[in-house]
Amino acid sequence: MRMWSLHPSHLDRAGLVACWRESLLAQAVLAGRTRGYRNHPQLERFRGVSAPTTPAAAVGAYLWGLREEAVRRGYRFDASRIDVPEAGCSGVVLTVTEGQMDLERRHLEAKLAVRAPDLLPLPDRLKAHPILRVIPGEIEPWERALTP
């Protein structure tokens, strides 16, 4: 499961579609609708939100950010699949570390080199997903899939 911290505009078509599917799976896990992936480390970022934000609102806000990029590109991501209405997700802000952003940049560059080399080079400074605020720090403790 890869739920990118990078802004969805940096993803190629395959990356955006995969992130949408995996984020819908994360939503189902957090809602208790599936038994698989319950202990996936990337879910920690949503489970660890502070009140009044709920995990459902956090993953919903993440999905709304993906959908916004999809609509901008002319794709049809079905908004009815997002459990929390867009209005219920307003004001959700999570953090991500600079170290995590750097690691994901390298991971995305490797993927794009194979799948979509025309999207390289990436801009010098990559934006974060709309609900994420970048803070100083090393790679996130929930990151397991990649090594620096």
Side-chain angles (χ1 to χ4, degrees), residues 23-39 43 47 55-56 59 83:
S23 299
L24 288 171
L25 172 60
Q27 176 181 251
V29 171
L30 292 170
R33 292 193 300 264
T34 184
R35 284 190 264 173
Y37 292 94
R38 284 185 300 188
N39 297 316
L43 297 177
R47 286 187 178 121
V59 75
D83 291 348

